Amino acid sequence: MCEKCGLQEENYVADFKELAPVLEKYGSVQGSLITILQNAQDIYGYLSMDAINYISQQTGIKPAKIYGVATFYAQFRLQPIGKHLIMLCKGTACHVNGADLIEEAITEHLDIRDGETTEDGLFTLNNVACLGCCSLAPVMMIQSADGEETYGNLTKDSVKKVLAEIQARA
C-alpha cells in the first residue's frame, strides 16, 4: 500500500499507468514539465510525492526541481481535495462587494479555511485571484465530478444555503 495516498499496490501501479501516455508524449520534450504536472493533476486530482518521484524516474528531472515547480504555481495541489472544490473569488470587484464576508460564512458553515478540506472530504476551499465574473460579484465556483457551477451576487445566507443543498445531496 502506498503510505502517502493509501492506494493498494495494484491500484497504485495502475494509476501511474494512466500517466504513461502523457509521459510518452511529453517526457522527452524540453520545457514540458508543467504540461506533465497539469496532466498528472487532472488524472489524480493532486500531485502526490509518489507521482512526483515517478515523473522524476520517467523524465530524468530531479524530484526537487519538480517539487519546486509544483509549489511555485498556485494551480498545483499537493494534497487531495474534497469532492467539491469551492473557488472563492478574491478579485477587486468581489473584494469590494464582500468576498471576505462570503469567506467568513463558508468558514462558519464548513469549519474550514482557505486551502483546507472538510473532515468528511466533501469540500475544499480555495481562494482564487479572479474568476472573471466581476459583474456577479461576489462570486464562487464549485467544481465537482459533475462539472462546474458558478454562484453570483452572494450573501452570507445564500452561500450557506448553497452549501447546505450540496451537503443534502451528498
Side-chain angles (χ1 to χ4, degrees):
M1 176 186 290
C2 171
E3 292 179 17
K4 300 212 186 294
C5 65
L7 294 174
Q8 296 297 321
E9 186 67 27
E10 59 273 7
N11 295 333
Y12 174 77
V13 172
D15 271 355
F16 290 126
K17 286 181 181 175
E18 294 175 10
L19 194 55
V22 174
L23 291 168
E24 221 171 271
K25 185 173 182 180
Y26 299 107
S28 61
V29 178
Q30 186 98 14
S32 296
L33 180 56
I34 290 175
T35 301
I36 293 168
L37 294 178
Q38 288 170 329
N39 279 278
Q41 185 167 279
D42 286 346
I43 293 167
Y44 307 113
Y46 73 106
L47 300 172
S48 68
M49 284 308 298
D50 290 332
I52 289 172
N53 288 331
Y54 182 76
I55 291 167
S56 172
Q57 289 171 350
Q58 299 301 311
T59 61
I61 301 170
K62 293 186 187 283
K65 181 175 181 178
I66 297 172
Y67 185 79
V69 170
T71 56
F72 180 80
Y73 293 102
Q75 66 177 299
F76 295 118
R77 295 179 296 271
L78 301 177
Q79 299 293 324
I81 60 169
K83 185 176 176 185
H84 301 276
L85 175 61
I86 302 168
M87 293 180 290
L88 178 62
C89 184
K90 296 291 246 179
T92 302
C94 287
H95 175 74
V96 170
N97 286 295
D100 288 343
L101 293 174
I102 302 308
E103 183 177 10
E104 186 179 298
I106 293 170
T107 298
E108 287 172 8
H109 190 80
L110 299 177
D111 196 27
I112 56 172
R113 298 187 184 285
D114 181 32
E116 294 180 348
T117 300
T118 55
E119 285 185 21
D120 61 4
L122 196 56
F123 294 99
T124 296
L125 173 61
N126 276 357
N127 291 337
V128 297
C130 185
L131 290 173
C133 306
C134 300
S135 64
L136 300 174
V139 174
M140 72 176 177
M141 181 182 292
I142 299 180
Q143 279 183 342
S144 68
D146 300 330
E148 301 173 343
E149 188 136 2
T150 303
Y151 301 89
N153 300 312
L154 292 169
T155 63
K156 286 182 84 168
D157 289 337
S158 69
V159 74
K160 287 180 180 180
K161 182 178 175 190
V162 168
L163 296 174
E165 288 172 1
I166 292 171
Q167 288 173 312
R169 289 192 305 241

